[in-house]
Amino acid sequence: MKLVVINPNSTQSMTDKIIASARAAAGDHVEVIGRTAHGAPASIEGHFDEVMSAAHLMREVQQAEASAADAIVVACFDDPSIGACREIATGPVLGICEAACKAASMIATSFTVVTTLPRSVPIIEDLVRKYGLDHQCRRVRSAEIPVLALEEPGSNARQQIRDEILRAIDEDKCEAVVLGCAGMSDLTEWLSRETGIPVIDGVTVATKFAEALVGAGLKTSKIGAYAVPNKK
Amino acid sequence: MKLVVINPNSTQSMTDKIIASARAAAGDHVEVIGRTAHGAPASIEGHFDEVMSAAHLMREVQQAEASAADAIVVACFDDPSIGACREIATGPVLGICEAACKAASMIATSFTVVTTLPRSVPIIEDLVRKYGLDHQCRRVRSAEIPVLALEEPGSNARQQIRDEILRAIDEDKCEAVVLGCAGMSDLTEWLSRETGIPVIDGVTVATKFAEALVGAGLKTSKIGAYAVPNKK
Amino acid sequence: MKLVVINPNSTQSMTDKIIASARAAAGDHVEVIGRTAHGAPASIEGHFDEVMSAAHLMREVQQAEASAADAIVVACFDDPSIGACREIATGPVLGICEAACKAASMIATSFTVVTTLPRSVPIIEDLVRKYGLDHQCRRVRSAEIPVLALEEPGSNARQQIRDEILRAIDEDKCEAVVLGCAGMSDLTEWLSRETGIPVIDGVTVATKFAEALVGAGLKTSKIGAYAVPNKK
Amino acid sequence: MKLVVINPNSTQSMTDKIIASARAAAGDHVEVIGRTAHGAPASIEGHFDEVMSAAHLMREVQQAEASAADAIVVACFDDPSIGACREIATGPVLGICEAACKAASMIATSFTVVTTLPRSVPIIEDLVRKYGLDHQCRRVRSAEIPVLALEEPGSNARQQIRDEILRAIDEDKCEAVVLGCAGMSDLTEWLSRETGIPVIDGVTVATKFAEALVGAGLKTSKIGAYAVPNKK
Amino acid sequence: MKLVVINPNSTQSMTDKIIASARAAAGDHVEVIGRTAHGAPASIEGHFDEVMSAAHLMREVQQAEASAADAIVVACFDDPSIGACREIATGPVLGICEAACKAASMIATSFTVVTTLPRSVPIIEDLVRKYGLDHQCRRVRSAEIPVLALEEPGSNARQQIRDEILRAIDEDKCEAVVLGCAGMSDLTEWLSRETGIPVIDGVTVATKFAEALVGAGLKTSKIGAYAVPNKK
Amino acid sequence: MKLVVINPNSTQSMTDKIIASARAAAGDHVEVIGRTAHGAPASIEGHFDEVMSAAHLMREVQQAEASAADAIVVACFDDPSIGACREIATGPVLGICEAACKAASMIATSFTVVTTLPRSVPIIEDLVRKYGLDHQCRRVRSAEIPVLALEEPGSNARQQIRDEILRAIDEDKCEAVVLGCAGMSDLTEWLSRETGIPVIDGVTVATKFAEALVGAGLKTSKIGAYAVPNKK
């Protein structure tokens, strides 16, 4: 199967990291194709960045569709424009927040999300509520790190994230932690080892869930809100 | 005060209708400035159209902000990209779905929304739930009319909408009806007379609520999710 | 238009303060008429006080109705007997808790309410849940001040409220604050300046929303729960 | 123990019926004292009637308290002013809607409420949601009967109620039915026989739950919202 | 009436304590019959223990039914297998979590549950949400005590529980406390005296509610989910 | 990887069907091992059957664990005893209701569940609410078929299910259908073709999700409610 993983921001190093995670997770029969939303903001930190990346994301989804992709992963934790992607895609489209939180709900009774900046906290809280998981989400926490700090070799971002997870375990009594940014994908194993709790990366899980839905023969429903866009 | 009312689709006749409603509602001290999102789709029917209008909408909001607008109304019932608009605006930004449903909840214990196409129903249901009004919203109904049919002089769209409202009163036992499309704005009075129930037009109410918030000295909060977008 | 603002307790100095706020907020075309519920308790601190003021409040609403009021504001944060007021009024009836919380939800993703006494906290939590805004309300806090302390010139009530707001910003990460008592109305501007966060006064907002609903041509729905009381 | 059962309307024949039900249900050791809220409306049909009976209800509760009542039942299905009653009572105070719906939730996974007039439907829906039982309440139905029709010997009210219950079983697939008016109390057994479903009368259940709470040594909590009213 | 109170674990000393509480609470006309689920785990600490006691619990319910029990109480705070018990019982079946939380909601606007082990916290949170009382439950707390420590004469379990209740009053601002384990039943009075807050024991309340439902003539509904199990 | 799929009832022909579906769905690297809960009831129709199968299910899970299973699927739509299974398993444990409904929520904005008997409807409604998906589940419908009718060659069960799905599309406006019984697994493709809507089989999806979670390196969290059972 052909899986297109789209980084909806324009930072290539982040795409590289994301694709590495997706490839590491994907089965042998899965061709993982990475795409960067060139022209989009360098990072998505809030609603405005989301909107400014949206048309670029659509273009990538349309190209994925033209190339007969079996499924699509949108690798930004704000799950930007997922409904629109689903309208133009035939196969399943997975957002990494939805995938990670639903995975968490299958292996733990509660989870905490650890994200980058405080301004993303209400956006993620809103998503979690939209997905109906607010009763299992103990808290959405920010490690107070700009997204691109995750790309800087010398930053102590990983330590800050680890410390925030340790606080989450202690204060929230959560049973799992969801990493609230695609750019944290490469830290998953290290964080899991350091903290002794299941740490869930949305890129990895969305890749596997995309595989799963395709393997189950499921496509996006086309008889309602996700029907092909009306011709204008 | 200066109020900018933006039609996020590119159909000028719809803007005209919307601005006429806004001007009719606005107080004497309010300068209503209409804007059309040129370049956007001709109508917004679903998530994809929403996304394809978003950057055009942002441009209009930025211009409104540059011209020192005191408040902004986004005149599409899907409340597209409202969070992003709030990040770049200083004053209040009102979506017409949020305004109309919250107004309904102040004059009735329950309401039904009557919109155009079936594909918009789940989008509006989602918005109503996001605003916490699902317990007061009896139902979201579609009159099975394409948005642009509302612009065609000879169409029987208004009759269809009236009939759907009558069914809503009978079947849903709703106490008010919210019109689920900016393009229905000019029908409000006629529909109210024909059906004998409060019929609520989002353009009118959003205009008045924008005036109200400005008059109350309130601006969009800038210390959290609606802070000015981060510089890239 | 004629707007009647009713203080449902019997403390005239509180009425004076409330009416000053309403007048300062109201548009030029609005005649604001203040009424005190003489015979009611001196302050409303809990369910019992609410009940003991109810018949007096009804009398004032009936007089407002007799004098052809276009809209009514009930200026007590417990939103006492609003349903009953709506049954006997033709125009819109606004409670200040509902108005303030709905305004907060239009300019911020979250808010905290700061009220007077601890015993009012569960009452306000109940109202917030009834209005469907519990997911946006971070917390209802008490500044541990009796209502009438707000009327004493020498009290340090305003400092206590400011400090509670500062704690709310720090601990709740709220994006706006709603003042949980009509008697705090005169402090709004000062508190807003001192704390740097939108501080929302229900009297002001309810006045503006009443104007807005009347301006939008909306009246209380009379086909259901708010129908004119049955003759006995 | 001494149980005071208060009819918050002024119709003596309704009090008689209510007290007969309470006495039939109460244990041998329970002295049931009936009280009528003389001065209140003849029936409670909506928010306004509720409010107009409130002060009369308070007077009866205060007398009950003065006479060392162990518990109080307020026999109107709108559960009027229960919070205020709890502030002035030492022992438990039961509303019949709360009691009946909570009883229903203990013997069935779902129930439907059958009440008198359509205007009471939204009030009861609100109560059911307040008690957290909306997920178990299939529907609130009106049999389209004025409250006092239940007092008229020749009326066919009982047949209408039976028919509405039969429709509820068929259409709502409910497992139990709650009678939504104190005045239906005497019909409980007949309706249960005629329909073959558990039919729950709030007067009976509230009487038994009051006994239960007193027997369990529980009194109304006095450290929060139900504390004794503040002295004025 | 005949009330069968079943301890679904196999610890006889716990049954003795439970039955003592039930007998102390039950009316003179109630014959309380205690049963121990011999063969079940010695205590129920988590889902697995629950499951391993289930068949033993069923056997006891079947025997109760065979002996014409009028009602059944299942005395474990996890409310194990209540749905199954209701299928095979004719009369009401009460779980002690449901009974205690619903009683709390009748005498207080909020409550906190204090249970034994941390692993039971999410199970109880789930139950509270299932019963629709999450908005009234401030928190579920663990006193970090194994269930059987409650049976050891020398343990300081009761002090730990008291201290946890005091913390709950201080931090949660709860108005009542529910004891989250049948084995705490004998401590109720002492804890109530020590903490000055209504302390609610599920065994006591379930006993009284069982009496109440039987006294109200109510039986488990047999037309839906609680119908007699299908023959195989 | 080794995946153990357990049929918690004792009907071998149903296990065969389930395992055929799981094998058809599973990747090449997955060894699917089928297990029947010998000693359990022949079908699970309600809470009692669930309980009577529970200990047998536990035995199978313990054997799976002993044989180093990487993941477990419990193939009954009531998701029986999943919490207990998770306590004793190291790897992920999937119930088919949870898996199917969460899959539906990824490819459609709404779904309807079509199950066998009416008595299972409230059980499934409860599960859907527990998983936080009640706002996406349009309705749980019964095709009025006993579970074992699905095993009878000559029955017209498949036609009845198809007809119920067609009614769901028409009346519920659902965008996908979830099959509410493991025994319907072999009908998935036929039903999907006949109805033109995504039809989701829990056995297939749970198999793929189990693979996905294992592939993502996730195991059941052992620091909270799913910790290994306490030794007795």
Side-chain angles (χ1 to χ4, degrees):
Chain A
M1 68 170 269
K2 186 185 282 192
L3 174 68
V4 175
V5 178
I6 306 173
N7 172 14
N9 73 37
S10 60
T11 299
Q12 186 64 44
S13 64
M14 212 157 145
T15 312
D16 295 345
K17 206 178 350 180
I18 288 165
I19 300 310
S21 291
R23 289 220 171 100
D28 292 342
H29 65 297
V30 182
E31 181 191 5
V32 175
I33 296 166
R35 307 284 311 177
T36 303
H38 298 297
S43 60
I44 297 186
E45 297 169 322
H47 308 85
F48 179 74
D49 291 351
E50 231 180 87
V51 157
M52 295 318 286
S53 83
H56 305 284
L57 170 58
M58 286 307 108
R59 185 193 63 222
E60 298 302 326
V61 175
Q62 282 166 327
Q63 290 190 3
E65 189 64 16
S67 72
D70 293 293
I72 292 167
V73 167
V74 179
C76 168
F77 204 79
D78 292 355
D79 285 359
S81 304
I82 294 294
C85 298
R86 285 178 180 158
E87 286 189 16
I88 52 182
T90 303
V93 179
L94 270 290
I96 65 174
C97 173
E98 183 173 0
C101 293
K102 287 184 179 168
S105 72
M106 294 172 187
I107 61 162
T109 66
S110 66
F111 60 90
T112 280
V113 178
V114 175
T115 190
T116 50
L117 287 176
R119 72 181 302 151
S120 295
V121 170
I123 293 177
I124 296 171
E125 288 174 333
D126 227 34
L127 284 173
V128 167
R129 180 168 175 266
K130 180 177 166 188
Y131 300 143
L133 294 172
D134 35 333
H135 64 293
Q136 293 189 267
C137 181
R138 290 278 181 210
R139 190 163 155 198
V140 181
R141 286 167 170 270
S142 147
E144 313 247 359
I145 303 167
V147 170
L148 294 181
L150 295 164
E151 303 305 297
E152 291 164 20
S155 89
N156 66 342
R158 61 160 59 198
Q159 283 74 20
Q160 282 174 264
I161 297 167
R162 180 198 53 200
D163 293 352
E164 195 67 34
I165 294 176
L166 294 174
R167 271 192 293 275
I169 297 171
D170 182 41
E171 296 172 10
D172 310 349
K173 314 287 180 217
C174 60
E175 300 180 5
V177 161
V178 168
L179 296 178
C181 180
M184 296 175 182
S185 192
D186 57 329
L187 307 177
T188 316
E189 265 184 73
W190 181 77
L191 289 167
S192 200
R193 267 200 318 276
E194 290 273 314
T195 62
I197 194 175
V199 173
I200 300 173
D201 164 44
V203 176
T204 300
V205 171
T207 297
K208 299 307 291 179
F209 277 2
E211 255 186 84
L213 294 173
V214 171
L218 294 173
K219 299 183 175 181
T220 297
S221 175
K222 290 292 163 187
I223 65 166
Y226 298 148
V228 172
N230 293 6
K231 278 286 178 325
K232 300 289 156 183
Chain B
M1 68 169 270
K2 186 184 281 191
L3 173 68
V4 175
V5 178
I6 306 172
N7 171 14
N9 73 37
S10 60
T11 298
Q12 185 65 44
S13 65
M14 213 160 145
T15 312
D16 294 346
K17 206 181 344 180
I18 288 165
I19 300 309
S21 291
R23 290 222 170 99
D28 293 342
H29 65 297
V30 182
E31 181 191 6
V32 174
I33 297 166
R35 307 282 314 176
T36 303
H38 297 297
S43 60
I44 297 186
E45 298 170 323
H47 309 84
F48 180 73
D49 291 352
E50 230 180 89
V51 157
M52 295 318 287
S53 82
H56 304 284
L57 170 58
M58 287 307 108
R59 186 193 61 225
E60 298 302 326
V61 176
Q62 282 166 327
Q63 290 190 3
E65 189 64 16
S67 72
D70 292 293
I72 291 167
V73 166
V74 179
C76 168
F77 204 79
D78 292 356
D79 285 358
S81 305
I82 294 293
C85 298
R86 285 178 179 158
E87 286 189 16
I88 52 182
T90 303
V93 179
L94 271 291
I96 66 173
C97 173
E98 183 173 1
C101 293
K102 287 184 179 169
S105 72
M106 294 172 187
I107 60 161
T109 67
S110 66
F111 61 91
T112 279
V113 178
V114 175
T115 190
T116 50
L117 288 176
R119 70 180 303 151
S120 295
V121 171
I123 293 178
I124 295 171
E125 289 174 333
D126 227 33
L127 284 173
V128 168
R129 181 170 174 267
K130 180 177 165 186
Y131 300 142
L133 294 172
D134 35 332
H135 64 292
Q136 293 189 267
C137 181
R138 290 278 183 211
R139 192 163 154 197
V140 181
R141 286 167 170 272
S142 146
E144 312 246 357
I145 304 165
V147 169
L148 295 181
L150 295 165
E151 304 304 298
E152 292 164 19
S155 89
N156 67 342
R158 59 161 59 199
Q159 283 74 20
Q160 282 174 264
I161 296 167
R162 180 198 53 199
D163 294 352
E164 195 67 34
I165 293 177
L166 294 174
R167 272 191 293 276
I169 295 171
D170 181 42
E171 296 173 11
D172 310 349
K173 315 286 181 215
C174 59
E175 300 179 5
V177 160
V178 168
L179 296 179
C181 180
M184 297 175 181
S185 191
D186 57 330
L187 308 175
T188 316
E189 266 183 73
W190 181 77
L191 289 167
S192 200
R193 270 200 317 275
E194 290 274 312
T195 62
I197 193 176
V199 174
I200 300 173
D201 164 42
V203 176
T204 300
V205 171
T207 296
K208 298 308 289 179
F209 278 1
E211 253 185 86
L213 293 174
V214 170
L218 293 173
K219 299 184 174 179
T220 298
S221 175
K222 289 292 163 186
I223 65 166
Y226 297 149
V228 173
N230 294 6
K231 279 284 177 327
K232 301 289 156 187
Chain C
M1 67 170 269
K2 186 184 280 193
L3 173 67
V4 175
V5 178
I6 306 172
N7 172 14
N9 73 37
S10 60
T11 299
Q12 185 65 43
S13 65
M14 213 157 145
T15 311
D16 295 344
K17 205 176 355 176
I18 288 165
I19 299 311
S21 291
R23 289 219 171 102
D28 292 343
H29 64 297
V30 182
E31 181 192 4
V32 175
I33 297 165
R35 308 281 314 174
T36 303
H38 297 297
S43 60
I44 297 186
E45 297 168 322
H47 308 85
F48 180 75
D49 291 351
E50 231 180 86
V51 157
M52 295 318 287
S53 82
H56 305 283
L57 170 59
M58 287 308 108
R59 184 194 62 222
E60 297 301 325
V61 175
Q62 282 165 326
Q63 291 190 2
E65 191 62 17
S67 71
D70 294 292
I72 292 167
V73 167
V74 179
C76 168
F77 204 80
D78 291 355
D79 285 358
S81 305
I82 294 294
C85 298
R86 285 178 179 155
E87 286 189 16
I88 52 181
T90 303
V93 179
L94 269 292
I96 65 173
C97 173
E98 182 172 3
C101 293
K102 287 184 179 169
S105 73
M106 294 172 186
I107 60 161
T109 66
S110 66
F111 61 90
T112 280
V113 177
V114 174
T115 190
T116 50
L117 288 177
R119 72 181 302 152
S120 294
V121 171
I123 293 177
I124 296 171
E125 288 174 334
D126 227 34
L127 284 174
V128 167
R129 180 169 176 267
K130 180 176 166 188
Y131 300 142
L133 295 172
D134 35 333
H135 64 294
Q136 293 190 265
C137 181
R138 291 277 182 211
R139 192 164 153 196
V140 180
R141 285 167 172 272
S142 146
E144 313 247 357
I145 304 167
V147 169
L148 294 182
L150 295 165
E151 304 304 297
E152 292 164 20
S155 91
N156 66 341
R158 60 160 60 199
Q159 282 74 19
Q160 281 173 265
I161 296 168
R162 181 198 54 198
D163 293 352
E164 196 66 33
I165 293 177
L166 294 174
R167 272 192 293 276
I169 296 172
D170 182 42
E171 296 172 10
D172 310 349
K173 315 288 181 217
C174 60
E175 299 180 5
V177 160
V178 168
L179 296 179
C181 179
M184 297 176 182
S185 192
D186 57 330
L187 307 177
T188 316
E189 265 184 73
W190 180 79
L191 288 167
S192 201
R193 268 201 318 277
E194 291 274 313
T195 62
I197 194 174
V199 173
I200 301 173
D201 164 43
V203 176
T204 301
V205 171
T207 297
K208 299 307 290 180
F209 277 2
E211 252 185 87
L213 294 173
V214 170
L218 295 172
K219 299 184 176 182
T220 297
S221 175
K222 290 291 161 187
I223 64 167
Y226 298 148
V228 173
N230 294 5
K231 280 283 179 327
K232 300 290 155 185
Chain D
M1 66 171 271
K2 185 185 285 193
L3 173 68
V4 175
V5 179
I6 307 173
N7 172 14
N9 73 36
S10 59
T11 299
Q12 184 65 44
S13 65
M14 212 159 146
T15 311
D16 295 345
K17 205 181 346 180
I18 288 165
I19 300 310
S21 291
R23 288 220 171 101
D28 294 342
H29 64 298
V30 182
E31 180 192 6
V32 175
I33 297 164
R35 309 283 313 177
T36 302
H38 297 297
S43 60
I44 296 186
E45 297 168 322
H47 308 86
F48 179 75
D49 291 352
E50 230 180 88
V51 157
M52 295 319 286
S53 81
H56 304 283
L57 170 58
M58 287 308 109
R59 186 194 61 224
E60 298 302 326
V61 175
Q62 282 166 327
Q63 291 190 1
E65 190 64 16
S67 72
D70 293 294
I72 292 167
V73 167
V74 179
C76 168
F77 204 78
D78 292 355
D79 285 357
S81 306
I82 295 294
C85 298
R86 285 178 180 157
E87 286 188 17
I88 50 181
T90 303
V93 179
L94 271 292
I96 66 174
C97 173
E98 184 173 1
C101 293
K102 287 184 179 169
S105 73
M106 293 173 188
I107 61 161
T109 68
S110 66
F111 60 91
T112 280
V113 178
V114 175
T115 189
T116 50
L117 288 176
R119 71 180 304 151
S120 294
V121 171
I123 293 177
I124 295 171
E125 288 174 334
D126 227 34
L127 284 174
V128 168
R129 181 170 175 266
K130 180 177 165 187
Y131 300 142
L133 294 172
D134 34 333
H135 64 294
Q136 293 188 267
C137 180
R138 291 279 181 211
R139 194 166 153 193
V140 181
R141 287 167 169 273
S142 146
E144 313 245 358
I145 304 165
V147 170
L148 295 181
L150 296 164
E151 305 304 298
E152 292 163 21
S155 90
N156 67 342
R158 59 160 58 199
Q159 283 74 19
Q160 282 173 263
I161 297 168
R162 179 198 55 199
D163 293 352
E164 196 66 35
I165 293 177
L166 293 174
R167 273 192 293 276
I169 295 171
D170 181 41
E171 297 172 10
D172 310 349
K173 314 289 181 213
C174 61
E175 300 179 4
V177 160
V178 167
L179 296 179
C181 180
M184 297 174 179
S185 193
D186 58 329
L187 308 176
T188 316
E189 264 184 75
W190 181 77
L191 290 168
S192 200
R193 266 201 318 276
E194 290 275 312
T195 63
I197 194 174
V199 173
I200 301 173
D201 164 43
V203 176
T204 301
V205 172
T207 297
K208 297 309 289 180
F209 277 2
E211 253 186 85
L213 294 173
V214 170
L218 293 173
K219 300 185 175 181
T220 297
S221 174
K222 289 291 162 187
I223 65 167
Y226 297 147
V228 173
N230 293 6
K231 279 283 176 330
K232 302 288 158 187
Chain E
M1 67 171 271
K2 185 185 284 193
L3 172 68
V4 175
V5 178
I6 306 172
N7 172 14
N9 73 36
S10 60
T11 298
Q12 186 65 44
S13 65
M14 212 157 146
T15 311
D16 295 345
K17 204 177 353 177
I18 288 165
I19 300 311
S21 292
R23 290 221 170 98
D28 292 344
H29 64 297
V30 182
E31 179 191 6
V32 175
I33 297 164
R35 307 283 312 178
T36 303
H38 297 297
S43 60
I44 296 187
E45 298 168 322
H47 309 84
F48 179 74
D49 290 351
E50 231 180 88
V51 157
M52 296 318 288
S53 81
H56 305 283
L57 170 58
M58 288 307 108
R59 186 194 60 223
E60 298 302 325
V61 175
Q62 283 166 326
Q63 291 191 1
E65 190 63 17
S67 73
D70 293 292
I72 292 167
V73 167
V74 179
C76 168
F77 204 79
D78 292 355
D79 284 358
S81 305
I82 295 294
C85 297
R86 286 178 179 158
E87 286 188 16
I88 50 181
T90 302
V93 178
L94 270 291
I96 64 173
C97 173
E98 184 173 1
C101 293
K102 287 183 179 170
S105 73
M106 294 171 187
I107 60 161
T109 67
S110 66
F111 61 90
T112 281
V113 178
V114 175
T115 189
T116 50
L117 287 177
R119 73 180 304 151
S120 294
V121 171
I123 293 176
I124 295 170
E125 288 174 333
D126 227 34
L127 284 174
V128 168
R129 180 169 175 267
K130 181 177 165 188
Y131 300 141
L133 294 172
D134 33 334
H135 63 294
Q136 293 189 266
C137 180
R138 291 275 181 212
R139 193 164 154 195
V140 181
R141 286 167 170 271
S142 147
E144 313 246 359
I145 304 165
V147 169
L148 295 181
L150 295 165
E151 304 305 298
E152 291 164 22
S155 89
N156 66 341
R158 58 161 59 198
Q159 283 75 19
Q160 282 174 264
I161 296 168
R162 180 198 54 198
D163 294 352
E164 196 66 33
I165 293 177
L166 294 174
R167 271 191 294 276
I169 296 171
D170 181 42
E171 297 173 9
D172 310 349
K173 315 288 182 215
C174 60
E175 301 180 3
V177 160
V178 168
L179 296 179
C181 179
M184 296 175 181
S185 191
D186 57 330
L187 307 177
T188 315
E189 265 184 75
W190 180 77
L191 289 168
S192 201
R193 268 200 319 274
E194 290 274 313
T195 63
I197 195 175
V199 173
I200 301 173
D201 164 43
V203 176
T204 302
V205 171
T207 297
K208 297 309 290 180
F209 278 2
E211 251 186 86
L213 295 173
V214 170
L218 295 172
K219 300 185 175 180
T220 297
S221 174
K222 289 292 163 187
I223 65 166
Y226 298 148
V228 173
N230 294 5
K231 278 284 179 329
K232 300 291 156 185
Chain F
M1 69 171 269
K2 185 185 284 191
L3 173 67
V4 175
V5 179
I6 306 172
N7 171 13
N9 73 37
S10 60
T11 299
Q12 185 64 45
S13 66
M14 213 159 145
T15 312
D16 296 344
K17 206 180 349 177
I18 288 165
I19 299 308
S21 291
R23 289 219 171 101
D28 293 343
H29 65 297
V30 182
E31 182 192 4
V32 175
I33 297 165
R35 308 283 313 178
T36 303
H38 296 297
S43 60
I44 297 187
E45 298 169 321
H47 308 86
F48 179 74
D49 290 352
E50 231 180 86
V51 157
M52 295 319 285
S53 83
H56 304 282
L57 170 58
M58 288 307 109
R59 184 194 63 225
E60 296 303 325
V61 175
Q62 282 166 326
Q63 291 190 1
E65 190 63 16
S67 72
D70 293 293
I72 292 167
V73 167
V74 179
C76 168
F77 204 79
D78 292 355
D79 286 357
S81 305
I82 295 294
C85 297
R86 285 180 179 156
E87 286 188 16
I88 52 181
T90 303
V93 178
L94 271 291
I96 66 174
C97 173
E98 183 173 2
C101 293
K102 287 184 180 170
S105 72
M106 293 173 188
I107 61 161
T109 66
S110 66
F111 61 91
T112 280
V113 177
V114 175
T115 190
T116 50
L117 287 176
R119 70 181 302 151
S120 295
V121 171
I123 294 177
I124 295 171
E125 288 174 334
D126 226 33
L127 284 173
V128 167
R129 181 170 175 268
K130 180 177 166 187
Y131 300 143
L133 295 171
D134 34 333
H135 64 295
Q136 294 189 267
C137 181
R138 290 279 182 210
R139 192 164 153 195
V140 180
R141 286 167 170 273
S142 146
E144 313 245 358
I145 305 164
V147 170
L148 294 181
L150 296 165
E151 306 304 297
E152 291 164 21
S155 89
N156 66 343
R158 60 162 57 201
Q159 282 75 20
Q160 282 174 265
I161 297 168
R162 181 198 52 200
D163 295 351
E164 196 66 34
I165 293 177
L166 293 173
R167 272 191 293 275
I169 295 171
D170 181 42
E171 296 172 10
D172 310 349
K173 315 288 182 213
C174 61
E175 300 179 4
V177 160
V178 167
L179 297 178
C181 178
M184 297 174 181
S185 191
D186 57 329
L187 307 176
T188 316
E189 267 183 71
W190 180 78
L191 289 168
S192 200
R193 267 200 319 276
E194 290 274 313
T195 62
I197 194 175
V199 174
I200 301 173
D201 164 42
V203 176
T204 301
V205 171
T207 298
K208 298 307 289 180
F209 277 2
E211 252 185 87
L213 294 173
V214 171
L218 294 173
K219 301 185 174 179
T220 297
S221 175
K222 288 293 161 186
I223 65 168
Y226 297 149
V228 173
N230 293 5
K231 280 282 176 326
K232 303 289 158 188

